[in-house]
């Protein structure tokens, strides 16, 4: 049956073999190479070399190949040796020079016989093996089981991550020579000490490396070195740094290196001698992660003179290099043959070439596989040999001449195909995933600023690797896939070092020198580079997520499970959604500490890339279908898949209505009802027109017209399939737990720069103007100037980087997109009735956060909020949600409510968002106002006050300051979450609409109004009392006890209360202006009581503040830290504002009535009025004092108004005092509460009696009797009952 | 034939259409034109292995190769499973060793045994390669990482016994000579910081006296928005209430004395009166700053004093600010020199008792130890830190630092303060690692 190969074929095959296995020939195939004569000659030469067989045919080919491999001049019995030709290998260690250029040795090399490791294979596992170089331990160095906890958690052979703080040692120690190992930090590195320790050291959960005398450690977070005592050492490390730990046992020196740069000798004269040998050791805290390299793969930054703990496997490297070169040539030849450039194979049919290739490849892999799978050396071989070969094959076939056909694949893909064919699945999976892991480490430690080319080439390679479908399918299922791909994709934040190298010239606003031009150029270059990186990133991500739904008809390999892909359970998206969910769960939800610091930037990368890719896909699919991308803006996250489904992984997440199990129980019926409706289930389904569109096999996107019959404004919503929904949901979590923090952290650099550049200018100006006599002052100033300048420079470098990397237009769009989806989702959920309770709280928080991020973090010219129509739409949607959700009782968590109020407050600080609120329907606005009004009796009312004041701010008396001046905001700034002060400095934007509507509600709705006024007055009373009390205490302590030890917290609370007082007064001013009938309606008894109460409180405030030589003035003069912003005029003007509104704005009758009430209020004194006037005049003159700008300055008109009012007051007072009735003497008929009026009512059933006014006031706050606390059923008028 | 194919093809899943061999290939095979496929390729009961397929089935010809290069051509129905093909091939190709083979399509695609040829897209005249299965693949399970143990102590001892003894004697405990910890050295650090802060802030005053260093730039305004004038008003830090001064002068005291008394007594008029009565003979500049260097404390005169304060006096002023005036008075009454007393009070943290003992005893601690040396590493670390430098420019922080110096118990309180807390924490972080011992907490 066998078929003899014709002589033509024989020559060609022989030629091919010669070409592949002869090292003289370069790997790159020259298409012009085989002229017939030369071919024959080479072949003859080759035959002669082999010299044995006469016949060459397909049948004896394998023997032949074995022969080829064996009969070449081989040292050590099996494989050819190479003579190194240069030592410029970038990754090889100093001692063991490796090289990619090899020459064919003419004679067996005998020079290098120094590799004992290979010859003692049997001894390799012996843990007590002593190497003459000075190391004790097994051949393979790795981390040992922790002596303390007895375990170690390796996510990979070299990657350590522990569940509780632990100290881990290597399984090998050194007693002589110079050694090193490397650690790559894959977390914040906040709890990490690395170094060396002796076998005697005992570690437990509390002690670590460096705690005892015989251990030495470096902690780059605290920037310390540890050896029984601590001392400053080194630099601060960050995520992605490679730290080299070197020990010199000959001289007794330990040195640490950061990214290849020495940090100086950390320890000298470490103890050596009999019994002393040091183990590489590290103490690692919870949630920290690092990669340890003892030489399993090439050191990233080898230090000359130091050897890695494990010597490189030279023999394996040489063998594999030769074999891989052969493989590379084989692949190239095959590729050329496929593209019609057959070279020496011109007369062999293509199928036979394929078979031939497979046979040869199989032979090569037979020899290669043992090396690639050998535990002690495979990482080294893969990184040092396999990766470069793969990288070399990344380029497409050159010189093929013909245009690439659809089935065109790069040689790398041919190599992968061949490998996957020849190797069994598990083998290739291991090799590929290990390669991928190595790739991720290399990719991680590349800083894009200083080695952008390198980073890009790795990313290119990853792209090629992942665009090979089968490989992607293998890899995506491997554990920790997402993490590894992230490490490759992540653009690491540069360290100060990198910044100095890449951005030597930066410039910032207000810099003391002008470098704007060169700075512009540098940042332009930087941005170009980053754009390039980002497009690569998104290509890779695109490939991973949607590679399998982009036309796969021409694929080289049809996967066997094609039909499974259709089901969607096996698609890349599905696997990706799983690993994303896993990442979010494991790293972000369970361990919160990870979200802080630079580590969270890694997750931001995932976030942005995933969202951008999703946007692209959805825009493409929808855009293609609908011809526009508007539809992708109506995406929601389907709550029926994500929130209400008990199977969903985030069950333990807090929901708006409480915990999930509780909701399931209480809302069982409701939920079942919803779920029983056929999918997709919507409350309005019966009347809704549901439209399903199957766009493509994979995206399967559905469009649902929700309730188009009910309300025409309701938009069409887009429901995504489950896997996409899950990805989106994970993205929301990702944003919440990592990205927002990263953004705010990044933004803080901008404010830091601002702050320090101000200080720099300030110091400079002082230096310029100071007298040269004051040398001590000058030297101090000079010192701080230098420090400030340095800091400015460094921050400016970072800011330049951030502008190009984080705050880009692209990222902004991604955030807007997510913002919109979240808004859509919440809006949809809100309409679901009780089902809203299932919505995770994260959604609401993220909505608020996203708004803040978009508003305040993206303020650069090319990526900002201004003029974004999309964003404006979002704002109006958010405004409507805020109106509805603030105070919504479906949301039970008070913190979330607080957040919503806070968001609303921030909304009101900007004129555009105020407009968005005003355009809401009247009903919505009313809901909001009622919520605000009712909240005065319930909770902490800081936010409602702030909100109401915002409606008014700008319209009040001495409250018109355009630039600054919202004192109520000071009170809010005390809250720690309020980290950004931007809204506070927004110009005021009063809302007539809301003012009017509030007045309207007050006039119409009886019950809320009464409660509202009562609530405000109560609050004002208690808050101001608190202020006075604290100030009294302060005065007492400061003056009488001569100590200034007031609790700063108390002082701040006092300040906050003070500002609340002003806020409340301003709200009252708004009410008196807009709705004076509340107080001046002479027919209503409630109004009368309110007016009396109001006047009482006002007079109290007035008297306390204006009274001369009283504690208030004095306390202010003490200028204690914490109460600086207390200023008497602010509160006085607010009081005056209320009084003027009531007493001068109405008709004459009304004014007289109000003034009379003021004058008769208890405690009123004309002196206070005079003092007020005086103070106002003083204040007018003091306008030049800069800090008064804060409070707002009286204008001439306002002062005139005040003057004329005071004169009216005086006049009225004198007329009134003439007719003053004698004050009733206290007798038995007097009311026991006020002692002023006669008893006029009696309560049933308890029978106590007071005057009517007092009890009406009392009953506003309580329904029980003033005296006996018995419930009052009825109040009976004595006079009436007598009659 | 073509029609038959298409109609039949429609019955099946569409996927399979492309798999049907093309007519071109079929032409060479000897199948009859009337052929049909079994109904379901997946559930085809395997045909008896030894019987040849019915002649009316279409067959395709495949080249089977093994690694030895042996080659066989087989005709087979595309509906057969691959295992069938392997069986056939092994009978033709010296089969004993082919049992554990896996099949690979010539394009490199691995083939599955249990699926039929057609569903795996094997076409006429394709080549199929049989590769031996390796016996011990790692089964694709996630590889565990066995970790060899490290050497034990005796091995280490054996291996290192010939080493020379290190020249050093092993110290029992290595404690750095100048062990520092934040709280112990707090006083020195605080004093140094206060000195520096005062100098920095006095610059403002010195420049302000010239009245020309600020333009009306918005930034400057913002920066100035704090109550800057307090420093100008006086080292005691209180604005003087003009009415209180009036009250006192009306009692017959001179204006300067009245102001001084008010300053000493924190504007409390009654106490100031008491003081004036008690100290009727005392000179005005008893304690602390020389009031004559301060601005005239007239409330309406809002501009800072134009009088040039000499820097040394201003520094002295701040020093005396931090001491307890009562203790100073008492000790002064005991006859000590004011300079010594101030020094002693500073050393002892305003503890009158200890200060007295110090004054009576030998004055061992020199004044220079009161502050950090400008050459010390800690000094350099502290003052090259931008956060610290920024903190020093704020009058508020200066006040806090003085507070802490006066009363060290306040330290922990201020550490929790959201405003100065971060600064203090920052300072303490800088100071650790300057020879501090590890605390066993």
């Amino acid at each position: 049956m066998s078929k003899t190969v014709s002589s033509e074929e024989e020559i060609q095959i022989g030629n091919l073999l010669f070409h592949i296995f002869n090292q003289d020939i370069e790997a790159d195939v020259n298409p012009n190479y085989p002229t017939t004569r030369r071919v024959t000659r080479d072949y003859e030469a080759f035959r002669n070399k082999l010299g044995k067989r006469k016949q060459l045919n397909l049948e004896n080919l394998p023997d032949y190949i074995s022969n080829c491999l064996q009969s070449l001049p081989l040292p050590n019995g099996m494989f050819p040796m190479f003579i190194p030709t240069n030592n410029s290998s970038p990754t090889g260690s100093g001692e063991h020079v490796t090289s990619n250029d090899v020459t064919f040795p003419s004679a067996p090399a005998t020079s290098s016989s120094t590799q004992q490791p290979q010859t003692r294979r049997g001894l390799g596992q012996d843990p007590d093996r002593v190497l003459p170089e000075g190391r004790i331990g097994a051949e393979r160095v790795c981390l040992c089981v922790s002596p303390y906890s007895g375990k170690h958690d390796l996510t990979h052979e070299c990657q350590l991550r522990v569940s509780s703080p632990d100290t881990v040692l290597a399984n090998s120690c050194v007693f002589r020579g110079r050694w090193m190992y490397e650690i790559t930090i894959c977390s914040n590195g906040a709890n990490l000490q690395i170094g060396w320790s002796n076998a005697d050291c005992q570690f437990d959960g509390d002690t670590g490396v460096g705690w005892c005398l015989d251990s030495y450690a470096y902690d780059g977070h605290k920037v310390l070195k540890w050896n029984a005592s601590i001392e400053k050492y080194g630099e601060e490390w960050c995520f992605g740094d490679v730290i080299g730990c070197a020990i010199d046992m000959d001289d007794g020196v330990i040195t640490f290196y950061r990214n290849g740069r020495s940090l100086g000798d950390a320890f000298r004269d470490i103890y050596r001698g009999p019994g002393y040998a040091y183990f590489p050791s590290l103490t690692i805290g919870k949630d920290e992660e690092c990669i340890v390299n003892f030489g399993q793969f090439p050191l990233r930054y080898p230090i000359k003179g130091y050897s890695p703990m494990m010597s490189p496997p030279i023999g394996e490297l040489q063998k594999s290099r030769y074999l891989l070169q052969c493989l590379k040539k084989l692949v190239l030849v095959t590729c050329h043959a496929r593209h019609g450039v057959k070279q020496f194979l011109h007369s062999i049919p293509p199928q036979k070439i394929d078979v031939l290739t497979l046979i040869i490849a199989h032979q090569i892999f037979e020899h290669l596989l043992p090396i690639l799978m050998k535990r002690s050396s495979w990482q080294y071989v893969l990184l040092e040999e396999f990766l470069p070969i793969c990288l070399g094959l990344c380029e497409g076939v050159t010189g093929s001449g013909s245009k690439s056909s659809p089935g065109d694949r790069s040689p790398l893909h041919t190599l992968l195909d061949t490998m996957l064919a020849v190797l069994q699945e598990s083998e290739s999976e291991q090799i590929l995933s290990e390669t991928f892991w190595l790739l991720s480490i290399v990719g991680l430690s590349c800083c894009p600023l200083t080695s952008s080319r390198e980073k890009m080439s790795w990313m290119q390679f990853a792209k090629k690797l992942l665009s090979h479908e089968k490989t992607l399918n293998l890899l995506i299922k491997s554990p920790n896939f997402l993490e590894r791909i992230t490490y490759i994709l992540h653009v690491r934040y540069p360290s100060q070092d990198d910044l100095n190298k890449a951005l030597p010239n930066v410039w910032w606003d207000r810099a003391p020198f002008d470098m704007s031009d060169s700075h512009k150029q540098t940042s332009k270059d930087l941005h170009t580079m980053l754009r390039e990186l980002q497009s690569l990133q998104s290509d890779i991500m695109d490939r991973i997520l949607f590679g399998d739904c982009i036309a796969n008809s021409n694929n080289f390999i049809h996967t066997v499970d094609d039909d499974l892909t259709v089901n969607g359970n096996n698609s890349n998206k599905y696997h990706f959604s799983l690993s994303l969910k896993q990442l979010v769960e494991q790293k972000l939800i369970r361990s919160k500490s990870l979200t802080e610091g630079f580590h969270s930037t890694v997750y931001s990368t995932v976030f942005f890339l995933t969202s951008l890719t999703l946007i692209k896909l959805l825009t493409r699919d929808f855009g293609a279908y609908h011809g526009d991308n508007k539809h992708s803006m109506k995406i929601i996250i389907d709550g029926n898949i994500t929130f209400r489904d008990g199977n969903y992984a985030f069950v333990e997440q807090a929901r708006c209505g409480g915990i999930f199990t509780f909701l399931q129980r209480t809302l069982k019926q409701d939920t079942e009802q919803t779920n029983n409706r056929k999918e997709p289930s919507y409350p309005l389904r019966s009347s809704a027109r549901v439209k399903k569109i199957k766009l493509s096999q994979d995206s399967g996107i559905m469009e649902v017209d929700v309730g188009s019959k009910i309300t025409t404004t309701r938009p069409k919503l887009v429901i995504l399939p489950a896997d996409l929904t899950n990805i989106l949901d994970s993205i929301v979590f990702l944003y919440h737990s990592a990205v927002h923090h990263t953004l705010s952290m990044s933004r803080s650099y901008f404010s830091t720069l601002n702050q320090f550049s101000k200080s720099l200018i300030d110091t400079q100006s002082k230096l310029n103007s100071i007298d040269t006599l004051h040398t001590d002052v000058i030297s101090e100033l000079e010192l701080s100037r230098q420090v400030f300048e340095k800091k400015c420079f460094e921050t400016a470098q970072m800011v330049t980087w951030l502008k190009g990397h984080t705050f880009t237009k692209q990222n902004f769009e991604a955030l807007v997109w997510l913002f919109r989806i979240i808004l859509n989702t919440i809006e949809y959920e809100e309409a679901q009735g009780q089902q809203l309770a299932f919505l995770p709280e994260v959604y609401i928080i993220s909505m608020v956060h996203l708004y803040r991020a978009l508003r305040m973090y993206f303020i650069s010219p090319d990526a900002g909020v201004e003029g974004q129509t999309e964003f404006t739409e979002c704002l109006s949607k958010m405004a409507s949600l805020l109106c509805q959700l603030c105070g919504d009782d479906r949301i039970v968590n008070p913190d979330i409510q607080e957040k919503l109020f806070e968001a609303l407050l921030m909304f009101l600080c900007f004129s555009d968002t105020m407009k968005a609120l005003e355009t809401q329907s009247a009903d919505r606005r009313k809901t909001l106002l009622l919520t605000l009004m009712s909240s005065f009796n319930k909770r902490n009312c800081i936010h409602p006050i702030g909100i109401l004041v915002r409606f008014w701010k700008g319209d009040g008396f001495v409250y018109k300051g355009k630039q600054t001046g919202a004192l109520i905001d000071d009170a809010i700034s005390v809250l720690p979450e309020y980290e950004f002060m931007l809204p506070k400095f927004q110009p005021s934007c009063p809302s007539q609409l809301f003012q009017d509507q509030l007045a309207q509600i007050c006039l119409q709705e009886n019950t809320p109004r009464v409660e509202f006024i009562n609530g405000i007055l109560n609050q004002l009373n208690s808050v101001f009392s608190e202020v006075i009390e604290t100030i009294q205490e302060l005065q007492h302590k400061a003056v009488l006890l001569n100590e200034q030890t007031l609790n700063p917290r108390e002082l701040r609370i006092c300040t906050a209360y003070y500002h609340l007082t002003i806020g409340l007064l301003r709200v009252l001013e708004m009410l008196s202006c807009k709705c004076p009938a509340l107080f001046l309606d002479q027919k209503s008894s409630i109004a009368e009581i309110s007016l009396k109460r109001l006047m009482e409180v006002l007079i109290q405030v007035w008297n306390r503040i204006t009274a001369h030589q009283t504690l208030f003035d004095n306390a202010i003069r003490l200028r204690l830290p914490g109460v600086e912003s207390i200023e008497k005029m602010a509160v006085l003007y607010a009081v005056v504002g209320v009084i003027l509104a009531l007493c001068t704005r109405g008709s004459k009758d009304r004014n007289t009535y109000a003034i009379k009430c003021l004058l008769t209020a208890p405690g009123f004194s004309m002196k206070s009025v005079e003092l007020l006037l005086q103070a106002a005049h003083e204040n007018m003159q003091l306008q030049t004092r800069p800090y008064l700008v804060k409070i707002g300055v009286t204008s001439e008109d306002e002062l005139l108004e005040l003057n004329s009012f005071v004169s009216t007051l005086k006049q009225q007072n004198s007329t009134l005092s003439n007719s003053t009735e004698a004050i009733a003497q206290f007798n038995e008929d007097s009311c026991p509460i006020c002692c002023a009026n006669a008893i006029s009512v009696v309560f049933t059933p308890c029978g106590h009696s007071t005057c009517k006014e007092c009890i009406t006031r009392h009953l506003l706050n309580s329904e029980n009797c003033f005296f006996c606390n018995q419930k009052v059923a009825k109040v009976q008028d004595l006079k009436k009952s007598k009659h | 034939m073509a029609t038959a194919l298409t109609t039949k093809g429609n019955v099946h899943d569409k996927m399979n259409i492309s798999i049907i061999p093309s007519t071109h290939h079929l032409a060479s095979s000897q199948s009859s034109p009337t052929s049909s496929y079994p109904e379901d390729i997946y559930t085809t009961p395997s045909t008896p292995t030894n019987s040849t397929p019915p002649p009316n089935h279409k067959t395709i010809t495949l080249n089977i190769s093994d690694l030895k290069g042996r080659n066989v051509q087989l005709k087979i129905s595309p509906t057969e499973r691959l295992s069938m093909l392997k069986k056939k091939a092994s009978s033709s190709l010296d089969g004993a060793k082919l049992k554990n083979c896996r099949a690979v399509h010539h394009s490199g695609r691995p083939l599955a045994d249990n699926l039929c040829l057609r569903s795996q897209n094997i076409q006429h005249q394709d080549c199929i390669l049989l590769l031996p299965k390796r016996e011990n693949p790692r089964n694709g399970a996630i590889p565990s990482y066995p970790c060899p143990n490290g050497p034990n102590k005796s091995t280490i001892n054996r291996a290192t016994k010939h080493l020379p003894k290190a020249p050093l004697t092993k110290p029992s405990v290595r404690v750095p000579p100048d062990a520092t910890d934040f709280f112990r050295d707090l006083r020195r650090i605080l004093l140094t910081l206060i000195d520096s802060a005062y100098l920095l802030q006095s610059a403002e005053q010195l420049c302000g006296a010239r009245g020309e260093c600020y333009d009306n730039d918005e930034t400057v305004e913002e920066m100035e928005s704090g109550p800057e004038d307090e420093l100008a008003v006086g080292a005691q830090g209180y604005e003087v209430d003009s009415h209180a001064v009036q009250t006192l002068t009306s009692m017959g005291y001179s204006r300067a004395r009245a102001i001084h008394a008010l300053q000493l007594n924190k504007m409390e008029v009654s106490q100031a009166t008491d003081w004036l009565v008690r100290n009727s003979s005392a000179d005005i500049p008893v304690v602390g700053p020389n009031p004559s260097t301060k601005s005239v404390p007239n409330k309406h005169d809002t501009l800072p004093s134009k009088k040039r304060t000499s820097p040394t006096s201003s520094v002295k002023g701040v020093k005396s600010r931090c001491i307890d005036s009562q203790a100073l008075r008492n000790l002064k009454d005991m006859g000590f020199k004011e300079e010594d007393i101030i020094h002693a009070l500073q050393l002892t943290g305003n503890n009158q008792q200890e200060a007295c003992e110090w004054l009576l005893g030998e004055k061992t601690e020199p004044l220079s130890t009161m502050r950090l040396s400008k050459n010390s590493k800690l000094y350099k670390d502290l003052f090259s830190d931008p956060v610290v430098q920024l903190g020093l420019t704020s009058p508020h922080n200066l006040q806090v630092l003085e507070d802490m110096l006066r009363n060290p118990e306040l330290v922990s309180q201020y550490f929790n303060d959201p405003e100065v807390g971060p600064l203090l924490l920052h300072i303490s972080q800088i100071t650790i690692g300057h020879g501090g011992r590890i605390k066993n907490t």
Side-chain angles (χ1 to χ4, degrees), chain A residues 59 62 140 143 351 422 424, chain B residues 67-68 102 125 134 146-147:
Chain A
E59 206 163 286
R140 190 160 74 90
L143 289 171
Q351 286 193 2
V422 169
Q424 280 157 41
Chain B
L67 273 182
K68 298 273 176 197
R102 54 200 179 88
Q125 284 191 339
R134 252 175 297 281
C147 188

Side-chain angles (χ1 to χ4, degrees), chain A residues 17 126 244 305 371 464 528 600 744 787 854 945 1008 1024 1201 1233 1244:
Chain A
L17 290 179
D126 178 13
I371 304 173
K464 287 274 180 193
T528 324
S600 61
S744 91
V787 172
L854 289 170
I945 297 174
F1024 188 69
E1201 193 183 352
I1233 297 181
T1244 40

